[in-house]
Amino acid sequence: MATIKKLLFLVDKPPYKSENSRLALTHAIASQTVEIHLEDEDNVEPVLAFVGDGVLNCIKGQKALDAYGITSLEAHIKNALLLDLKVIFCKEDLDKFGLTEDNVIMDAEDIGGDMIANILPFADILGEMEAADHILHF
Amino acid sequence: MATIKKLLFLVDKPPYKSENSRLALTHAIASQTVEIHLEDEDNVEPVLAFVGDGVLNCIKGQKALDAYGITSLEAHIKNALLLDLKVIFCKEDLDKFGLTEDNVIMDAEDIGGDMIANILPFADILGEMEAADHILHF
Amino acid sequence: MKLGVFVNQYTKTNSTLDRIKTDNLGIILVQNGVYHAALKENGKDSDILSKAAKVYALSEDVISRGLSPDKLDKKVTVVDYNGLVDVIFNDYEKFIWL
Amino acid sequence: MKLGVFVNQYTKTNSTLDRIKTDNLGIILVQNGVYHAALKENGKDSDILSKAAKVYALSEDVISRGLSPDKLDKKVTVVDYNGLVDVIFNDYEKFIWL
Amino acid sequence: MGKLAIGCFSSLVGSMSLDFAIKLSEAAIKKGHQVDIWLSGNATMLSKKGQRKFQDYSSLEAKTKDLISQGLNVTACEACAESRGYHKEDTLEGFNRKSMDYYLASCFNSDRVIHIGGE
Amino acid sequence: MGKLAIGCFSSLVGSMSLDFAIKLSEAAIKKGHQVDIWLSGNATMLSKKGQRKFQDYSSLEAKTKDLISQGLNVTACEACAESRGYHKEDTLEGFNRKSMDYYLASCFNSDRVIHIGGE
């Protein structure tokens, strides 16, 4: 019987200072190829949720490649959307920082993605924690 | 003409979680052998000051060697006293944590040291900052 | 949800921890998190001790720091690594490490 | 004392910085410290901006994070690495990195 | 008996998180549990051959090898290791190197997951 | 023209502090200043030979070597490197390895010191 397990990648740290949020995204995206390690039909369903200072990863227009020659967290988030991962930004935390849909990475249209990020209240993220089989807190 | 330069090692971080306070002590103690790199008569005078959560390095009775097989910060502070380094603990920060002379590493008598640690108000540590040629903040 | 939260730092607050609501919450103080169980800043207990949660502290990390397991706050259960394994397998299902 | 303080994190307070009193204090926001110049939490400026200090922000770190140098608080002087070298050699004598 | 996955994303020296992971594994294995450790980011330092023992630093090589002989499974993230200049031939005996998807499979197959992020 | 000492105690990958140190050195050297960089703790990772370039990670080897050819002095703490398994033969060309007292002498000889502690 096929088993799908839900892994919640909960990102609570800001970008760049530590490697945390970057590793959250690269590991979540690695779910695309996890099947080779699993039994037939089994799979992993990753959900990415940004909370607290973690929502600062979601600000649009990051120029880390120009300034430091490294991939921006923006590019990673767009990749996650391109690959149809569920991406959630905590509404209360965006509100706290005065960030709106206009300031954050809501889609990956420019690289051909269809998936849209979700701005949801913390209660819904708590729901994802309940629903997850395991939580990876970055 | 001989020049003595004062280096203030200002330790603001708690022990063990990061390597900060340990490196502060090992580098300060390395002042014992700095002369080989300097002109005749020139020297460095290190002062070690523990402030903020940094005063948690100074609690007596650390058993890191038993629990994890690593040298305790206590052993390092005693070494510094044995080598006659000036060691200061911030009074206000000890007070805040309810720590007194009885709880902290005031001397290295058991290993043959004469030097006594100083419990001084922050104003005096600010004075050390003024007096120092350079400040190394850990 | 049976959730175990590892607290490894001695910082004042974490907005995520403050907002987690669940019936079975455990807070496991490790590394510099153990100061929460031992220190009273300006005579006041750490906020972590007032949460609706069972609180544990890892004895190896307590003694490493010169703290005394029998002087910790009464609310706190001291466990060693052996005891922690049982807490992990028997008492909680999911974990976060703050 | 001409003291330059590098702030590289976006945390609320540092008790050492709060207690430093000196006539010539500079605060240099680098890495995640630049958020202090760009964000208003619940509509309020960061406490760092209210200190009696000249405040700088490193432009490379501002743009890396998707922030706009011309939208920073008016109090803040934006410098790039070239400008920072001059600040270091001309304006301050000692430094701490928080 | 259960299976525990520990993801370690912290640096070897300075932070004590790898010490925690190894001591917890030791206790779990002694009780008959299975343990998978995943080393990512700076924690891949644990997999580096030739670390000299100083009493100032945790030295986990001997203990980890001993636990591997008792069934502990330790795997380092290949890309994280390569970017730090740790190649296949630099890897301690008994340690695996895999791509990141392996960690997700390890979580899938475990009853408990302790993911140690942070510094 | 002055002399600047930069002490870097942070890890190479993840933290951007080494990027900061190298970019600041570059700007200072361009203006005619002298720069000494001291790598201690996890920052000794910068001195490791054979780091593979990934766009996700800062890759500072080429830039640092170029600056060394322009007079930048980079020295790694020997004990910190050895404890991490970076031996003399693993050290990038042009990088020095010294004991900790060297950093204090470097501070002594400098007009400005920026000591980057922390993670």
Side-chain angles (χ1 to χ4, degrees), chain A residues 40-65:
Chain A
D40 265 8
E41 311 288 319
D42 287 352
N43 216 335
V44 161
E45 186 191 326
V47 176
L48 267 160
F50 294 84
V51 296
D53 289 352
V55 300
L56 300 174
N57 290 282
C58 313
I59 295 176
K60 245 186 344 204
Q62 298 174 31
K63 296 193 172 60
L65 197 58

Side-chain angles (χ1 to χ4, degrees), chain B residues 126 129-130 135, chain D residues 1-3 20 22-25 94:
Chain B
L126 199 54
M129 291 173 69
E130 302 258 9
I135 304 169
Chain D
M1 152 172 73
K2 294 180 177 174
L3 180 70
I20 288 173
T22 182
D23 288 342
N24 290 286
L25 183 64
K94 295 174 228 179

Side-chain angles (χ1 to χ4, degrees), chain C:
Chain C
M1 152 174 71
K2 295 180 176 174
L3 180 71
V5 178
F6 287 90
V7 173
N8 85 98
Q9 301 208 50
Y10 182 55
T11 44
K12 305 303 157 263
T13 51
N14 173 279
S15 69
T16 303
L17 178 57
D18 289 344
R19 290 181 285 178
I20 288 174
K21 285 188 183 67
T22 183
D23 289 342
N24 290 287
L25 183 66
I27 293 178
I28 305 159
L29 303 173
V30 296
Q31 300 178 346
N32 285 342
V34 301
Y35 290 119
H36 288 290
L39 299 176
K40 290 180 197 297
E41 271 195 44
N42 303 314
K44 271 188 58 183
D45 284 343
S46 165
D47 286 346
I48 279 202
L49 301 179
S50 64
K51 291 194 190 303
K54 192 152 169 45
V55 183
Y56 307 84
L58 184 61
S59 61
E60 284 84 346
D61 291 345
V62 172
I63 64 166
S64 288
R65 285 162 182 75
L67 308 172
S68 173
D70 31 280
K71 286 192 193 145
L72 301 186
D73 191 278
K74 295 279 167 295
K75 209 201 157 179
V76 177
T77 306
V78 179
V79 292
D80 60 8
Y81 278 100
N82 279 314
L84 182 56
V85 170
D86 294 335
V87 168
I88 289 168
F89 278 102
N90 303 339
D91 299 334
Y92 302 98
E93 290 167 349
K94 295 175 227 180
F95 298 91
I96 64 180
W97 178 282
L98 286 186

Side-chain angles (χ1 to χ4, degrees), chain A residues 14-67:
Chain A
Y16 304 114
K17 177 64 204 160
S18 81
E19 208 184 357
N20 264 287
S21 54
R22 188 182 296 275
L23 289 171
L25 280 149
T26 51
H27 280 75
I29 289 168
S31 60
Q32 297 290 308
T33 49
V34 69
E35 289 160 276
I36 51 164
H37 303 290
L38 300 175
E39 304 283 316
D40 265 8
E41 311 288 319
D42 287 352
N43 216 335
V44 161
E45 186 191 326
V47 176
L48 267 160
F50 294 84
V51 296
D53 289 352
V55 300
L56 300 174
N57 290 282
C58 313
I59 295 176
K60 245 186 344 204
Q62 298 174 31
K63 296 193 172 60
L65 197 58
D66 302 340

Side-chain angles (χ1 to χ4, degrees), chain A residues 111-129:
Chain A
I111 54 170
D114 297 323
M115 198 71 163
I116 304 288
N118 305 279
I119 297 179
L120 297 173
F122 187 80
D124 288 12
I125 292 173
L126 199 53
E128 294 287 348
M129 291 173 69

Side-chain angles (χ1 to χ4, degrees), chain A residues 70-97:
Chain A
I70 55 167
T71 317
S72 68
L73 272 299
E74 181 170 16
H76 283 293
I77 293 175
K78 282 191 178 173
N79 262 336
L81 291 169
L82 180 66
L83 297 168
D84 293 335
L85 266 60
K86 185 170 182 182
V87 175
I88 304 170
F89 308 148
C90 177
K91 184 175 186 323
E92 290 91 336
D93 292 318
L94 290 179
D95 286 352
K96 184 179 76 175
F97 292 124

